[in-house]
Amino acid sequence: MASNDSDIYDRLRALEQLVRHLYKQTGVPMPDPQALATTEVSDHVRQLVASGNKMAAMKAYRDETNVDLRTAAQVIDSLYGG
């Protein structure tokens, strides 16, 4: 079944609505995707990630950016490839 661009955008909108709903229902603040996309990760944090020290990397990232734990975990996990 081939999808056209309209179908893809409709699905994307539905997913975005679902994500907003889940954040609202859980009471977890939704991170700003634009801020995450433009966030620079320091060399120090990258070195901690490279050494496998995930917890220290999350703490250092939080200290540097003042983000909440969940956001820090998302950013650090993305550096690990998920």
Side-chain angles (χ1 to χ4, degrees):
M1 175 171 99
S3 294
N4 62 33
D5 286 346
S6 179
D7 290 339
I8 292 169
Y9 287 116
D10 288 343
R11 290 178 182 182
L12 181 57
R13 275 190 290 280
L15 287 171
E16 289 173 340
Q17 289 175 344
L18 178 59
V19 167
R20 281 192 298 275
H21 172 75
L22 292 172
Y23 270 102
K24 184 178 179 181
Q25 291 300 311
T26 60
V28 174
M30 188 167 171
D32 177 11
Q34 290 179 332
L36 288 176
T38 60
T39 299
E40 290 293 322
V41 177
S42 71
D43 288 338
H44 174 67
V45 171
R46 288 185 186 279
Q47 289 170 353
L48 291 168
V49 168
S51 71
N53 197 340
K54 185 176 182 177
M55 297 305 279
M58 285 176 28
K59 181 179 181 337
Y61 184 77
R62 287 188 71 198
D63 290 345
E64 293 172 7
T65 61
N66 292 320
V67 298
D68 61 272
L69 181 60
R70 180 167 291 231
T71 301
Q74 290 172 339
V75 170
I76 299 305
D77 284 346
S78 75
L79 296 174
Y80 276 97

